[in-house]
Amino acid sequence: MKNLVLRFVKDQSGATAIEYGLIAAGISVAIIAVVQGLGTNLKNTFSSVSSALQ
């Protein structure tokens, strides 16, 4: 029983999965921020092009 508890305490695989999840979440937030910024710029560009064509 003692060996089982010691193996459980030393097991790092769960911590690694959590770390990878946090990294993926951080990258996702960065991508969303960039896409939102580009979306606003594209909207402004298309609006100015549309105004110029009229």
Side-chain angles (χ1 to χ4, degrees):
M1 185 69 170
K2 184 178 178 182
N3 282 340
L4 182 64
V5 172
L6 287 175
R7 271 193 335 198
F8 178 76
V9 170
K10 291 181 182 180
D11 187 16
Q12 295 290 320
S13 62
T16 303
I18 291 172
E19 290 168 356
Y20 283 132
L22 290 173
I23 290 170
I27 291 171
S28 299
V29 168
I31 290 172
I32 290 170
V34 168
V35 168
Q36 283 182 342
L38 288 175
T40 303
N41 289 340
L42 283 175
K43 181 180 176 184
N44 292 338
T45 302
F46 282 122
S47 293
S48 64
V49 169
S50 176
S51 297
L53 290 175
Q54 291 177 356

